[in-house]
Amino acid sequence: MSEDLKQKIIAYIREEYLEDDSMVLNENTPLISSGIVDSFSMVSLKMYLEEELGIKMTDEEASTEAFDTVNSILVLVGKKLAGKK
Amino acid sequence: MAYTSAAREQFRSTLKDVREAGLYKDERYICSEQGVEITVEYPRGSKPMKVLNFCANNYLGLSSHPDVVDAARKGLHDRGYGMSSVRFICGTQDLHNILEKSVAKFLGKEDAILFSSCFDANAAIFEVLFDEKDVLLNDRLIHASLIDGIRLCSAQRDSYKNADMAHLAKKLELWKTRARNICIVTDGVFSMDGILAPLDKIADLADEYGAMVLVDDSHATGFIGKTGRGTPEHFGVMDRIDIITTTLGKALGGASGGVVAGPREVTEMLRNRGRPYLFSNAVPPPIISAALRVIDLVSESTELRDKLEWNAKYFREKMEAAGFNLVPGQTPIVPVMFGDAKLANDMARELLGEGIYVIGFSHPVVPMGKARIRVQLSAAHEKEHIDKAVDAFIKVGKKLGVIR
C-alpha cells in the first residue's frame, strides 16, 4: 500500500472531520472509538474511499472496527483492491 | 421463561461497564410539582431538600402554570383521560384538529400533525418522505432522534460540520447531480451549546441548490424570535424553512407531544404512512386542552419570552463578570465550561448542596475535554433566584479553584 494513499486518507480525515488543525493524526490514531469520526458520519469517509479507489464496500465490510484507524482502513481497501485485479 | 443466568450476567456486566465509565444515569426524585422551587430527594433515601431548578426545559415556566393546569383539568373533565385508540381508528377528537391548525398558524405553516413526542415525529418523517434516490445532509450535532429517524430511512446520507456553511456548500455541490431531492437537516438551537443554526445562510444555500430544509426547533419554539415563533423567526426566514419539527414537552407546557409543521402533502403523507403516528396512541385530551391554552398564551403576549430573554442576559453578564468561561450565545441555554469531567461533576454536586440544581455533562454527551454544566434559565426564575445561583457558583467555583 502506497505511502501516498495513506497520506491522502489522513488529509481527507483532517479536512472532513477535525475541528482543530493542531490535533495529531496519524495512521494509528483511533478514529471511531475516540469520537473523532462518529459511526453516523463515517459514511463520508466510505464514499470518499469508494470514489477515490473505484471500489465498493458492503456495510458489513465497512464496520466501525475496520474504520477505526487509517491502518485498519488500509488493510480493508488493500483486500478490496487485490480482489479487483 | 428463558431469561437465563447467562443473559442476566451479560446485562449485569454491561451495566458494570457503564458505571465504571462514569456514564450511569442516576435519577433524582422530585417530590413536588415541576418549577423553579422544587423538592429533591438525592441521594435516594435521603431527606428531601428544597432547591432551585436550573436544569429543566421549562423555558417559559408553563409546566405548572395555573392557566395551563386549569386547562388540563378542564380537558380531563370534559373529554376524559385517554383515547384508547390511534388517531385513524377512533382516537381523533375535534380538539386534536383544532390544536394542529393552531400550531400550524403559530409556526406560519400550511398544516401540522401531532405525535406522541418529537422523538416519534423525527422517527417518522424521513422514512415517509425520502428513499434511496434522495440524500439527507445533516449537521453533525443534530439530536439523537433525528439521527435515529435518518437511520430508519433508505435515503443516502452525508453530514457537515456543526453550523459550518462552507462545508455544507461543499456537500451540496457534491450531491447536486446525484440525488432527486436533497434535504438539509438541522436543529434550530443546538441543545448542548445553546447556539443557533444559521438558518438565513442555510436557506440561501438551499435556494441555490434547490434543497429542502428541515429544522428541529424543540429548544426554540415559544421563545426564540421576537414573538417566540422559533429560530426561523429569529433569522427572518419563516417562509423559507420547509418543515419544522418541535415539541410540546419543553417550553410549550412541558408535558409531552411532538409536532411536524409544513406543507399539507407532508402532513398527509405522515397521517397515512408515518409508523409512529399509525401505531401509537393519540395524544390524550388533558394535554390537548392544555396545549391549546399554551398556544393562546404565547400568541397573545411576548411577556414570558421577553422575561426569559432578560433572565438569560442577566445570568450571562453576572457569570462572565465573576470570571466563568461560558459558551457565547443568546439563548437561555448557558453552558458553563470546566473542561474536566470530574470538575464539572464536583461543581454540580457542591452546587446542589448550596440549593442549586444543575447537572454536569461530559463525554460522550459532549466532546472529550469539554465537560460543562448546562444552565437553563426559565421565565419563572425571578432576579433573586438568579442572584442566588450566581452567588453559589462563585462560592463553589472559588472553593474548587475554578475562579479566583
Side-chain angles (χ1 to χ4, degrees):
Chain A
M1 191 61 55
S2 74
E3 179 65 23
D4 184 41
L5 177 59
K6 186 202 296 177
Q7 291 310 326
K8 263 188 178 171
I9 297 174
I10 289 175
Y12 177 82
I13 292 169
R14 193 171 274 290
E15 166 81 17
E16 175 70 17
Y17 297 104
L18 294 194
E19 306 279 348
D20 178 2
D21 290 342
S22 66
M23 207 170 147
V24 176
L25 179 67
N26 61 38
E27 62 272 32
N28 296 313
T29 308
L31 300 173
I32 315 271
S33 54
S34 68
I36 292 175
V37 180
D38 67 70
S39 58
F40 199 64
S41 47
M42 203 181 88
V43 64
S44 310
L45 179 56
K46 176 174 179 266
M47 207 168 94
Y48 167 78
L49 293 167
E50 287 179 339
E51 299 220 340
E52 186 69 22
L53 303 172
I55 55 174
K56 272 275 168 211
M57 289 176 269
T58 63
D59 287 345
E60 287 74 31
E61 288 169 330
S63 64
T64 51
E65 291 77 25
F67 270 55
D68 201 33
T69 65
V70 171
N71 264 345
S72 61
I73 292 169
L74 287 170
V75 169
L76 173 64
V77 300
K79 278 187 202 156
K80 298 300 292 185
L81 286 170
K84 233 176 81 172
K85 281 174 192 165
Chain B
M1 287 279 284
Y3 188 67
T4 59
S5 55
R8 188 189 292 277
E9 276 316 306
Q10 179 203 326
F11 301 148
R12 283 183 178 170
S13 160
T14 304
L15 285 165
K16 186 165 167 272
D17 292 346
V18 172
R19 278 185 198 278
E20 283 173 4
L23 301 174
Y24 193 84
K25 307 285 181 290
D26 209 6
E27 294 177 357
R28 288 112 169 123
Y29 295 158
I30 295 175
C31 317
S32 60
E33 63 180 26
Q34 182 62 285
V36 168
E37 294 175 355
I38 56 171
T39 307
V40 179
E41 178 192 322
Y42 187 77
R44 220 171 289 164
S46 61
K47 188 168 172 276
M49 57 179 169
K50 286 195 171 166
V51 295
L52 296 178
N53 191 353
F54 278 86
C55 57
N57 299 316
N58 185 18
Y59 297 112
L60 295 175
L62 296 177
S63 305
S64 306
H65 189 284
D67 288 7
V68 179
V69 173
D70 279 349
R73 195 175 285 126
K74 189 172 185 322
L76 184 66
H77 179 267
D78 294 352
R79 298 302 182 92
Y81 171 64
M83 291 310 300
S84 305
S85 172
V86 299
R87 288 284 299 272
F88 82 96
I89 298 179
C90 58
T92 302
Q93 291 181 331
D94 53 347
L95 295 180
H96 286 92
N97 180 252
I98 292 170
L99 178 60
E100 285 171 340
K101 286 199 160 53
S102 160
V103 173
K105 189 177 166 210
F106 182 74
L107 296 173
K109 295 288 164 240
E110 272 178 30
D111 196 16
I113 174 171
L114 292 168
F115 287 81
S116 298
S117 68
C118 190
F119 202 112
D120 273 358
N122 288 341
I125 191 159
F126 301 104
E127 189 196 19
V128 165
L129 299 182
F130 305 105
D131 63 28
E132 56 279 352
K133 297 187 194 72
D134 308 310
V135 67
L136 303 168
L137 300 182
N138 68 275
D139 187 291
R140 288 194 183 144
L141 287 193
I142 54 170
H143 190 259
S145 55
L146 289 169
I147 290 179
D148 283 7
I150 293 172
R151 281 202 168 117
L152 288 169
C153 159
S154 63
Q156 304 175 84
R157 62 181 201 233
D158 202 346
S159 60
Y160 61 95
K161 292 178 190 174
N162 178 229
D164 184 332
M165 293 300 99
H167 201 211
L168 172 59
K170 213 168 119 185
K171 296 292 181 171
L172 286 161
E173 189 61 37
L174 175 73
W175 283 100
K176 71 177 181 186
T177 55
R178 301 172 191 224
R180 176 183 57 187
N181 294 306
I182 303 177
C183 183
I184 301 167
V185 182
T186 183
D187 287 4
V189 170
F190 295 97
S191 62
M192 280 297 143
D193 290 323
I195 58 165
L196 299 135
L199 293 188
D200 50 345
K201 297 190 179 76
I202 289 176
D204 287 346
L205 282 170
D207 285 351
E208 189 181 337
Y209 287 93
M212 287 182 226
V213 185
L214 182 149
V215 176
D216 179 337
D217 226 14
S218 291
H219 284 275
T221 304
F223 57 97
I224 297 291
K226 277 289 159 220
T227 66
R229 263 65 176 175
T231 321
E233 184 187 33
H234 174 89
F235 286 104
V237 292
M238 280 181 74
D239 55 345
R240 297 174 67 202
I241 301 301
D242 302 288
I243 300 168
I244 292 171
T245 69
T246 191
T247 182
L248 304 176
K250 295 185 167 63
L252 302 183
S256 67
V259 174
V260 173
R264 196 169 308 281
E265 301 73 31
V266 168
T267 56
E268 270 186 53
M269 292 268 279
L270 285 163
R271 269 181 222 287
N272 285 279
R273 291 188 173 174
R275 291 170 67 82
Y277 183 84
L278 292 171
F279 297 103
S280 59
N281 254 18
V283 179
I287 292 181
I288 298 295
S289 179
L292 277 164
R293 182 69 191 115
V294 167
I295 296 296
D296 281 349
L297 282 173
V298 296
S299 303
E300 282 161 8
S301 160
T302 60
E303 195 183 328
L304 291 173
R305 59 86 50 212
D306 294 346
K307 186 176 172 202
L308 174 62
E309 191 171 66
W310 188 92
N311 282 351
K313 193 163 171 278
Y314 180 68
F315 178 77
R316 278 180 184 279
E317 283 169 4
K318 298 270 281 186
M319 287 290 282
E320 274 169 359
F324 285 100
N325 177 20
L326 311 180
V327 175
Q330 315 148 271
T331 70
I333 297 171
V334 186
V336 186
M337 304 302 286
F338 298 97
D340 179 62
K342 185 175 179 307
L343 182 57
N345 288 328
D346 287 349
M347 276 290 297
R349 199 186 53 250
E350 295 265 342
L351 282 162
L352 190 66
E354 296 294 322
I356 303 300
Y357 186 13
V358 286
I359 299 285
F361 290 91
S362 52
H363 185 76
V365 180
V366 295
M368 194 77 87
K370 291 193 175 174
R372 66 196 64 186
I373 286 175
R374 180 180 70 170
V375 175
Q376 289 170 287
L377 280 303
S378 167
H381 286 128
E382 300 300 338
K383 183 171 169 291
E384 52 268 29
H385 295 136
I386 300 172
D387 288 337
K388 192 175 171 207
V390 174
D391 289 346
F393 263 99
I394 292 172
K395 183 178 169 190
V396 177
K398 281 183 179 165
K399 183 179 166 189
L400 299 184
V402 177
I403 54 166
R404 275 191 264 173

